[in-house]
């Protein structure tokens, strides 16, 4: 069963809920500003760009190393509905985290329709051990933070829930921003021209239905207060499933923010992303 969307308008219109209703006319100017911040980010820290973690041309990551004494390592998986966008569009998020003592890996991954979502999920599993192997010895055992936005939040959750990974016990928190955890509604949208999901595939790719009990890291589920009801329901449902299984969970609605402006509330030295990582790294 997929999520049921509440709301006075477009309640049963999945195309609106997941595509057209999420669009804002401000996106062009917002991304233009993000582009300027990305240029500035590359000049302010000692990046290592396009480090390879697998054979596919998009299995690469950018590392923004921790400044001073390292306190942890964060992985960030970008948005784009598994078929678009690039790590380079979100580099601006990394320097404030690095300046606070966190290694930050901005991760690219193969895209659909060249590969299907299960293959994308499998591809990103290699990113964590590949980066850990390159870090200085004193950094290899640091706490890990898995962060993702939209489709990237789906990938972050899939990694966090993979308890067979040798590094899984190091994961301190998974931080999901406007995530997609039930993929069944996407089957009936224009997105499926690229995703090529049937209902069984979509269910199998939905971490909402595979939450394990009492063995997963702290889950933070953030969503913009101005996003469509379906996106808000996705985060609410995942937070509830995470908690119902006995895992620590928090739902955070970011008032007045849409699907991409929510990143403004996260970024910077006073942003919510660093605040949550600081909270976990100090054991609060």
């Amino acid at each position: 069963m997929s999520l049921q969307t509440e709301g006075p308008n477009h309640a049963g219109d999945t195309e609106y809920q997941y595509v057209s209703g999420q669009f804002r006319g401000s996106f062009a100017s917002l991304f233009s500003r993000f582009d300027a911040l990305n240029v500035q980010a590359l000049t302010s820290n000692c990046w290592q760009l396009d480090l390879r973690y697998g054979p596919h041309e998009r299995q690469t990551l950018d590392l923004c190393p921790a400044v001073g004494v390292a306190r942890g390592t964060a992985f960030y998986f970008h948005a784009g509905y598994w078929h678009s966008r690039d790590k380079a569009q979100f580099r601006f998020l990394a320097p404030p985290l690095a300046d606070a003592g966190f290694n930050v890996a901005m991760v690219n991954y193969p895209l659909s329709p060249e590969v299907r979502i299960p293959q994308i999920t499998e591809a990103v599993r290699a990113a964590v051990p590949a980066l850990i192997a390159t870090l200085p010895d004193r950094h290899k055992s640091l706490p890990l933070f898995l962060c993702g936005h939209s489709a990237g939040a789906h990938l972050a959750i899939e990694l966090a829930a993979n308890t067979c990974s040798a590094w899984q016990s190091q994961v301190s928190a998974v931080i999901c921003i406007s995530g997609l955890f039930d993929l069944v509604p996407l089957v009936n949208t224009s997105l499926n021209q690229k995703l090529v999901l049937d209902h069984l595939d979509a269910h199998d790719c939905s971490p909402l239905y595979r939450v394990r009990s009492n063995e997963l890291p702290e889950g933070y589920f953030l969503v913009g207060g101005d996003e469509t009801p379906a996106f808000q329901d996705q985060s609410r449902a995942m937070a509830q499933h995470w908690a119902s299984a006995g895992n620590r969970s928090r739902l955070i609605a970011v008032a007045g923010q849409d699907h991409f402006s929510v990143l403004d509330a996260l970024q910077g030295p006073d942003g919510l992303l660093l605040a949550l990582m600081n909270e976990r790294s100090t054991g609060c």
Side-chain angles (χ1 to χ4, degrees), residues 5-58:
T5 303
E6 302 292 340
N9 298 307
H10 307 283
D13 185 348
T14 53
E15 183 71 15
Y16 176 87
Q17 294 291 337
Y18 289 98
V19 186
S20 60
Q22 281 287 88
F23 180 79
R24 300 291 184 274
S26 58
F27 281 177
S29 61
L30 182 69
F31 273 90
S32 178
R33 181 162 58 81
F34 285 172
D35 287 344
L37 291 174
N38 288 325
V39 172
Q40 181 180 344
L42 284 181
T43 65
S44 63
N45 291 74
C46 299
W47 290 78
Q48 299 174 45
L49 301 180
D50 296 318
L51 301 176
R52 188 163 292 282
Y53 69 86
H56 192 280
E57 63 182 359
R58 281 187 56 90

Side-chain angles (χ1 to χ4, degrees), residues 62-93:
D62 297 339
L63 175 63
C64 189
V67 176
V69 177
R71 304 161 55 204
T73 298
F75 293 80
Y76 183 88
F77 301 91
H78 65 79
Y81 268 131
W82 303 276
H83 71 79
S84 68
R85 303 201 183 277
D86 190 271
K87 57 183 170 56
Q89 295 177 276
F90 305 99
R91 287 173 177 148
F92 68 92
L93 295 168

Side-chain angles (χ1 to χ4, degrees), residues 174-197:
V174 55
I175 302 174
C176 297
I177 308 149
S178 303
L180 290 152
F181 312 108
D182 178 5
L183 278 57
V184 174
L186 304 184
V187 173
N188 296 319
T189 70
S190 59
L191 296 166
N192 209 30
Q193 296 173 19
K194 295 286 183 68
L195 303 180
V196 198
L197 294 168

